[in-house]
């Protein structure tokens, strides 16, 4: 069981099924280079974070994540009820912005700064793709295949990354962020929930 907190819904809105995202969600709190790394390394059976719906393992944590304290009275936590095929995962951190991969990758970038500055203009233009929003796995694979500097960075960043090793089925971590991706025509509903 997991929860989403949204601005309080009418009873009829709770009954309405919500379908899959058809647009890419760019990260707000995760650098694009890290988001691209996570997508490059994502196992086929794991949800795509760019198409995912985000949730929490408890109503309280959903409310805390959804709004600032002064706005929280406008929000309600609902139980997420998925109907149909989906992929779901949970990480140990309450929010992906707290994942240690972010610091590790940014540290790696700092270590490589002098090397990047010494690259030719053409190599720097290719390497810029590392930082572009919503790069596809195929984009990064092209860099691995075609550019030595980008390949070295990607392989070293991949070796540092623990994001997908940490990811587990929802319910595994008591406070960790949950994210799920609907498959095909699957939907979910937000059901009113009251603590027992």
């Amino acid at each position: 069981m997991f929860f989403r907190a949204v601005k309080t819904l009418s009873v009829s809105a709770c009954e309405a099924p919500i379908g899959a995202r058809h647009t890419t969600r760019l990260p707000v709190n995760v650098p694009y280079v890290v988001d691209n790394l996570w997508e490059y390394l994502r196992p086929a059976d794991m949800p795509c974070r760019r198409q995912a719906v985000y949730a929490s393992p408890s109503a309280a944590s959903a409310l805390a994540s959804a709004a600032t304290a002064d706005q929280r009275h406008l929000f309600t936590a609902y139980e997420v009820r998925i109907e149909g095929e989906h992929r779901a995962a949970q990480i140990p951190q309450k929010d992906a912005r707290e994942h240690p991969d972010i610091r590790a990758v940014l540290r790696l970038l700092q270590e490589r700064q002098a090397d990047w500055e010494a690259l030719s203009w053409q190599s720097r233009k290719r390497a810029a793709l590392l930082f572009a929003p919503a790069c596809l796995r195929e984009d990064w694979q092209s860099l691995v295949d075609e550019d030595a500097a980008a390949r070295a960075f990607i392989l070293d960043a991949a070796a540092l990354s623990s994001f997908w090793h940490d990811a587990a089925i929802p319910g595994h971590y008591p406070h960790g962020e949950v994210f799920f991706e609907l498959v095909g025509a699957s939907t979910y509903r937000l059901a009113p929930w009251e603590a027992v």
Side-chain angles (χ1 to χ4, degrees), residues 172-191:
H172 187 79
Y173 299 112
H175 305 292
E177 176 185 87
V178 174
F179 54 103
F180 64 93
E181 180 185 10
L182 299 172
V183 177
S186 298
T187 60
Y188 72 96
R189 296 173 197 269
L190 296 176

Side-chain angles (χ1 to χ4, degrees), residues 74-109:
L74 301 172
F75 287 73
T76 300
Y78 298 91
E79 180 185 347
V80 175
R81 294 189 182 160
I82 301 174
E83 299 165 1
E85 188 181 350
H86 66 282
R87 292 183 280 271
Q90 184 183 27
I91 57 173
Q93 295 77 22
K94 289 182 195 176
D95 191 295
R97 70 178 154 212
E98 300 169 359
H99 198 281
D101 275 12
I102 294 173
R103 263 198 211 132
V105 170
L106 294 180
R107 196 173 314 119
L108 180 63
L109 284 169

Side-chain angles (χ1 to χ4, degrees), residues 134-147:
C135 280
L136 302 175
R137 181 182 313 210
E138 295 78 15
D139 297 332
W140 269 41
Q141 189 58 53
S142 293
L143 286 174
V144 169
D145 296 340
E146 298 168 9
D147 188 89

